[in-house]
Amino acid sequence: MKLLIRTKIVGKGTCEDPRRPYLANQVVPASMIEIGNNECLCRVAGTPEQISAITADPDITQLTDEEARKIIKSKYPNSDLENVDVADPEIDKIAEAQGIDPKIRADIVIPSR
C-alpha cells in the first residue's frame, strides 16, 4: 500500500541522526521532499497495518495526488509525483509469488542521498 503524506522532519542532520520524515514510529520505505517550516511531503509504502498507524497519527496529514502535486509544483516546478515514488513491498511479494524479480523496475529508482 502507498500513501502521500505531509509530516514534520525529525533528526538533527548528523550521520548518527539524519533528517528524516516523522512516520509514527513505523519502519517503512519512504521518500521525501522538504517543503519548508521543518515539514516534508513524503511517499510511504507499507502493510495496511503500518499505513493505518501512520494515518492515525495527528501529526501526519494524508494528501491526495492533486494536493501533493500542487505542493511539489510550487516548490519544484519541473518535478511531479513520480519524483517521490517508492517501491511497494506488497507488490514485491506478489511479484515474487508469481516468479517475477521485483527488483526489475523500469520506472522506480530508490532515491539516493
Side-chain angles (χ1 to χ4, degrees):
M1 222 175 149
K2 289 185 184 183
L3 182 67
L4 286 161
I5 61 171
R6 182 179 192 142
T7 186
K8 62 186 173 183
I9 298 173
V10 296
K12 296 177 183 171
T14 64
C15 289
E16 297 80 29
D17 189 19
R19 291 173 52 83
R20 61 198 178 280
Y22 169 70
L23 300 174
N25 302 315
Q26 299 299 306
V27 179
V28 295
S31 64
M32 73 176 212
I33 294 177
E34 292 189 43
I35 56 176
N37 296 327
N38 205 40
E39 288 188 317
C40 63
L41 182 142
C42 188
R43 172 79 110 179
V44 296
T47 64
E49 295 79 19
Q50 290 170 316
I51 297 299
S52 291
I54 291 169
T55 57
D57 192 294
D59 290 329
I60 297 174
T61 304
Q62 183 175 348
L63 300 172
T64 65
D65 285 357
E66 235 3 85
E67 290 168 327
R69 180 175 284 116
K70 191 177 202 178
I71 292 168
I72 292 168
K73 292 287 189 183
S74 72
K75 195 82 170 147
Y76 306 98
N78 294 325
S79 297
D80 210 331
L81 294 178
E82 64 269 8
N83 295 101
V84 291
D85 207 3
V86 63
D88 189 331
E90 285 185 319
I91 299 299
D92 288 352
K93 287 180 185 175
I94 293 169
E96 288 171 353
Q98 297 293 317
I100 301 168
D101 181 2
K103 302 298 180 219
I104 299 174
R105 291 187 174 86
D107 60 343
I108 298 176
V109 176
I110 297 173
S112 62
R113 292 201 167 241

